[in-house]
Amino acid sequence: MTSIHEIEERALLTGFQGGDRLAFDKIFRLHNASLIFFANRLLISYDQIDPEEIVLDIFMKLHEKRESFESLNSIKAFLYISTKNSCFNAMEKEKVRLKRFDGYTSTYIESDENNILSQIVLTEVYNELYQALELLPEQCRIIMGQLMEGKTAKEVAEELSISVSTINSQKARAISILKKRLSGAGIALLLIYF
């Protein structure tokens, strides 16, 4: 005999698979808080990474693949495995970014006073880079912004539904434009990212 709980689970799964917003919202509410807690625990040493953003991305992927799930347990497993993998990927990207950043800034660290001065200079260089990015043509600006967030060309291509070669050509175009607009320090910072 089928229990009421099993009937409710099947109805929720069927609604979710069919694109019912209320079913998706219910699944979101069931798992969102625990996934954020889980991501926070994995990212405890990485303050720069936003666990909530990672979890929201996972729910977007869940929604895209909604028709492929056979049970609520398979949805839950997907959410946890995907959150874990996304956290590990974000940690790896952050380690690479920090290594590049440390390599760049290590030449400026001589004393506390020089360190403060170098932080001011670095902040101004970041400001210069971001102002120059705002002046790029729209597609270049969008692509460069996502690449600077640490996304790969393939990830950006999938997200924007364009080819990787288009991403690479827009990136090359943007770098060419930025080289004309940036100072030597701005170009050096740009090279850290690309």
Side-chain angles (χ1 to χ4, degrees):
M1 182 172 192
T2 306
S3 72
I4 293 175
H5 180 70
E6 290 172 325
I7 293 171
E8 288 174 352
E9 280 189 2
R10 280 191 204 146
L12 179 60
L13 181 63
T14 302
F16 172 70
Q17 290 170 327
D20 178 28
R21 182 168 172 78
L22 293 176
F24 178 80
D25 287 346
K26 185 168 184 177
I27 290 172
F28 180 85
R29 280 187 271 103
L30 280 171
H31 300 291
N32 185 52
S34 57
L35 290 172
I36 291 172
F37 177 80
F38 177 62
N40 265 317
R41 298 302 301 157
L42 293 175
L43 299 169
I44 200 156
S45 300
Y46 294 89
D47 295 339
Q48 299 296 323
I49 303 172
D50 184 3
E52 291 181 24
E53 187 175 317
I54 287 175
V55 171
L56 285 177
D57 287 343
I58 298 303
F59 276 106
M60 294 298 292
K61 290 176 185 174
L62 175 72
H63 186 266
E64 291 169 5
K65 298 177 181 234
R66 68 185 177 277
E67 295 173 1
S68 65
F69 294 98
E70 297 176 7
S71 69
L72 293 181
N73 284 335
S74 63
I75 290 172
K76 186 175 184 178
F78 170 82
L79 290 170
Y80 275 99
I81 291 168
S82 297
T83 299
K84 177 197 72 155
N85 292 340
S86 291
C87 287
F88 287 168
N89 289 341
M91 286 187 271
E92 285 304 314
K93 286 179 184 177
E94 183 66 7
K95 286 177 187 175
V96 169
R97 190 190 70 77
L98 288 173
K99 187 175 180 182
R100 286 180 180 169
F101 183 77
D102 288 344
Y104 178 73
T105 58
S106 66
T107 59
Y108 291 105
I109 300 173
E110 293 174 342
S111 70
D112 288 342
E113 188 171 318
N114 285 342
N115 186 27
I116 291 170
L117 181 60
S118 70
Q119 295 303 316
I120 292 170
V121 169
L122 185 61
T123 302
E124 289 300 310
V125 172
Y126 266 107
N127 187 36
E128 177 188 7
L129 177 60
Y130 283 105
Q131 285 180 1
L133 285 171
E134 288 299 314
L135 299 175
L136 290 174
E138 183 179 2
Q139 189 172 23
C140 286
R141 184 176 66 248
I142 291 168
I143 290 169
M144 292 299 283
Q146 291 189 359
L147 291 171
M148 288 184 70
E149 289 174 4
K151 294 180 181 176
T152 65
K154 183 179 178 185
E155 291 170 337
V156 175
E158 289 173 1
E159 190 172 313
L160 299 177
S161 300
I162 55 179
S163 69
V164 173
S165 62
T166 301
I167 297 295
N168 291 331
S169 67
Q170 289 293 315
K171 176 180 158 184
R173 178 179 176 209
I175 289 172
S176 175
I177 294 169
L178 290 172
K179 282 182 179 178
K180 295 173 187 171
R181 292 186 179 154
L182 295 173
S183 66
I187 292 171
L189 182 61
L190 181 65
L191 294 175
I192 288 174
Y193 280 105
F194 304 102

